[in-house]
Amino acid sequence: MTNTMAEPKPVAVANELPLPIGEVSRRRASSSDTAVVTAQGDLDASHIPGLRQKIARALGSLDEGAVILDLREVEFLSLSVACELVEIKHRAAPRGLDLRLVFHHPAVQRALDVTGAFLLFPAYPSIEAAAERRPA
């Protein structure tokens, strides 16, 4: 069965921060809403406040579904960011929301492995795969 997805539409985000964390967009994938947050470059502890803010806004824009964090352009993910992603995922779960990661860089996988976060975040190869919960 093939699901088609509409192109993402940007969601207005006030107070844009000069961080490697991009725009938030929304998609409708079958019966659930999906918001996408993109990041690029290196994500270290100094980026946690901006990342937390973007993901919180994306989660706040959903009644159900998931926020997909697109890390395909991230070449380094610090252990502190990996731990923060676990915290965000745990805070979203009681509201029936999920945080999913799209990545392929070994450094991202390494940070998830070292922190044990790999147990919560399967590797999704694309945004579409993450929206449909089809891990690599």
Side-chain angles (χ1 to χ4, degrees):
M1 180 167 98
T2 304
N3 289 334
T4 58
M5 297 178 64
E7 286 299 312
K9 295 183 178 155
V11 173
V13 179
N15 303 324
E16 289 293 325
L17 301 172
L19 298 172
I21 304 160
E23 300 246 345
V24 176
S25 60
R26 288 205 52 199
R27 295 174 180 229
R28 176 151 299 282
S30 55
S31 63
S32 66
D33 281 332
T34 305
V36 179
V37 177
T38 59
Q40 60 189 18
D42 296 345
L43 289 180
D44 60 27
S46 69
H47 299 110
I48 289 175
L51 185 63
R52 186 184 300 135
Q53 180 183 29
K54 292 275 185 152
I55 294 173
R57 284 197 178 131
L59 288 167
S61 73
L62 300 174
D63 294 325
E64 62 177 358
V67 170
I68 298 171
L69 181 56
D70 183 357
L71 300 173
R72 289 177 292 181
E73 299 296 321
V74 170
E75 297 173 0
F76 171 79
L77 185 77
S78 73
L79 300 180
S80 58
V81 171
C83 291
E84 181 64 26
L85 294 175
V86 170
E87 289 299 316
I88 292 169
K89 186 172 182 83
H90 285 307
R91 286 193 302 265
R95 295 179 39 215
L97 298 170
D98 193 16
L99 177 63
R100 301 178 195 152
L101 307 182
V102 175
F103 64 91
H104 66 264
H105 201 282
V108 174
Q109 183 67 56
R110 195 166 31 256
L112 297 175
D113 290 345
V114 169
T115 60
F118 72 94
L119 296 169
L120 297 174
F121 295 109
Y124 292 103
S126 68
I127 292 169
E128 291 75 18
E132 296 170 7
R133 291 188 151 198
R134 289 184 293 112

